[in-house]
Amino acid sequence: MNLSKEIKRRRTFGIISHPDAGKTTLTEKLLLFGGAIQEAGAVKSNKIKKGATSDFMEIERQRGISVATSVLAFEYKGIKINILDTPGHKDFAEDTFRTLTAVDSVIVVIDVAKGVEEQTEKLVEVCRMRKIPMIVFINKLDREGKDAFELLDEIEQKLGLAVTPLSFPIGMGYDFKGIYNIWEKNVNLFSGDSKKNIEETIEIKDINSNELDDLIGSASAKNLREELELTQGVYPAFNRDEYLAAAQHPVFFGSALNNFGVRELLDCFIQIAPPPRPKESAERLVKPEENDFSGFVFKIHANMDPKHRDRLAFVKIVSGKFERNKPYLHVRQGKNFKFSSPNAFFAERKEIVDESYPGDIVGLHDTGNFKIGDTLTAGEELHYKGIPSFSPEHFRYINNADPMKSKQLEKGIDQLMDEGVAQLFTLELNGRKVIGTVGALQYEVIQYRLEHEYGAKCTYEPLNVFKACWVEPNDPKSEEFKEFLRVKQKYMATDKKGQLVFFADSPFTLQMTEQKFPNVKLHSVSEFK
Ligand code: G4P
């Protein structure tokens, strides 16, 4: 099969939203269109139910679902679509950030009534920083919500996105009549039937024709004409190059639950969304069309069976063709590995694949050799960039609660950190270990998994840290840096890679430290060069 043809027909993307905006529902409807599932309800929500913080069964259930829904691949109109699942729960935000390193574009789902919410802001910011092309889908139009213009404004203000609507709602909530598809120039009437798979669209060549009045009534037609005129005046026309450069963001309206506006979104998506793109490595820019295979690990999932400690490493293919049973270089370890049963993922199953192409995700069985961020190649020493650690938000000392099991504890912590469950720091002063997490939930996950998978017990102790900052001195030999290390001795630690980290106990300390030591840069992400 022709490599460039395979690359061109792939679209790998993620759906991001604040919990409850409708990400799971939209994913499911996209799969229905792709024929990957037959009925609604087949995709399990990987949401952690509210109030489930101490329910371990819930955590395990969630882990099970999250492996099943990590990648959902399907074909639609000759295009191979890979949806990468991103947990909406904020305690797993880091997992989502890492997954975003493996997508080529993103769809942002926004609830018409709630507008832009906190989690949306954070995730969109990450996408904006990485210049990932984004399409916005405003969901739940069958409910009363904010005015379309107000929402477009809010998206521009709060998310900093330059929007251009590619569809426009006709009424809303009780009065919701349908949408006018600016992209395809047709009207799609709403029937409110959630079981309907294919919608009927009526082509409108001229929006000023009486046809529109006959369809939606004169008052609605007049309103729509005015609104469309206004959009044309306010928003720039769609420009694909700008969208691909993440400088313009098309917006669609619909109702995922009612399967409304979803086909329009998908049809436009496959036309405009980017196929796999070149990726920067520490050494050079790598293009998908290159003959030699290369890829990187963006996610590691532990096996659900505690007796078998093997794991599944998810690799995004960046260039060339990946082949089963071919030896590939694990760059960090300097060793070759062969994979006899690489998995590809489909909506409800996984399958062993003989070959995969750029944009695809393969799941490789691993007995502890991989870490997040590792690069695999056909032989070249490449190191992919762009999987940084972010400063955790919670910090606790971890103590061994069973001295007979210290080896097991060490191994368990080591492997859980490789999986990216949390971050481990070691204090310079006394060698004590500190676990940093994005959410408090992870501490329970770690304790539970250490006990059930590694037979080790741990306890935690509070530690007052506001932020972990990766330290970059302008000159490591300068008096200023030596003074910094001396004064802040108690607050210095190293991360798992041995990089120096400063623990600031408050925003005030951080600010004062930055003022006092202007030539020592403090970064809130681990990758800053
Ligand atoms: P998430 O993955 O972003 O967290 O959201 P999810 O799809 O689970 O949707 C959250 C809730 O919003 C669900 O209701 C879902 O049915 C509903 N929903 C999604 N799209 C629409 C829509 O277009 N219109 C309306 N009216 N509701 C929508 P739930 O009651 O929380 O769950 P369920 O019992 O229906 O599964």
Side-chain angles (χ1 to χ4, degrees), residues 374-443:
D374 278 346
T375 304
L376 269 181
T377 71
E380 188 177 348
E381 298 239 346
L382 292 174
H383 298 82
Y384 281 113
K385 295 206 272 192
I387 309 207
S389 301
F390 293 81
S391 174
E393 290 179 21
H394 301 260
F395 298 83
R396 290 184 196 170
Y397 286 117
I398 182 163
N399 300 320
N400 186 358
D402 182 353
M404 306 293 287
K405 300 277 172 64
S406 55
K407 270 225 169 77
Q408 284 88 331
L409 183 73
E410 212 167 291
K411 180 160 188 193
I413 294 178
D414 210 46
Q415 296 210 345
L416 292 183
M417 299 305 126
D418 285 352
E419 263 182 54
V421 176
Q423 291 179 59
L424 180 73
F425 301 96
T426 309
L427 280 179
E428 290 275 90
L429 196 63
N430 53 18
R432 285 194 75 178
K433 307 264 188 253
V434 173
I435 303 265
T437 66
V438 179
L441 186 58
Q442 266 93 338
Y443 289 106

Side-chain angles (χ1 to χ4, degrees), residues 293 297 313 315 322-330 335-343 352-354 362-367 369-370 376-377:
F293 157 76
V297 178
V315 174
F322 172 91
E323 287 174 77
R324 186 158 83 97
N325 279 327
K326 221 176 162 175
Y328 290 121
L329 177 67
H330 182 320
K335 278 193 231 159
N336 278 333
F337 285 85
K338 271 192 212 170
F339 303 96
S340 59
S341 51
N343 285 132
I352 291 177
V353 280
D354 289 326
V362 283
L364 305 178
H365 289 281
D366 168 42
T367 47
N369 291 306
F370 286 117
L376 269 181
T377 71

Side-chain angles (χ1 to χ4, degrees), residues 51 98 129 207 232 362 370 456 472 504 521:
R98 282 192 296 256
M129 269 162 37
I207 166 138
Q232 278 170 5
V362 283
F370 286 117
E472 184 193 24
K521 289 209 188 73

Side-chain angles (χ1 to χ4, degrees), residues 500-519:
L500 195 63
V501 171
F502 166 62
F503 282 163
D505 57 11
S506 69
F508 178 72
T509 314
L510 183 56
Q511 202 187 355
M512 292 310 286
T513 311
E514 281 175 324
Q515 273 173 18
K516 195 164 170 210
F517 302 100
N519 294 306

Side-chain angles (χ1 to χ4, degrees), residues 17-26 45-47 50 109 139-143 254-258:
S17 76
H18 191 86
D20 276 348
K23 180 170 71 75
T24 312
T25 314
L26 178 65
S45 167
N46 73 356
K47 252 187 296 188
K50 290 177 194 83
V109 183
N139 190 26
K140 308 196 186 180
L141 264 287
D142 57 316
R143 285 198 187 160
S255 165
L257 185 67
N258 292 289

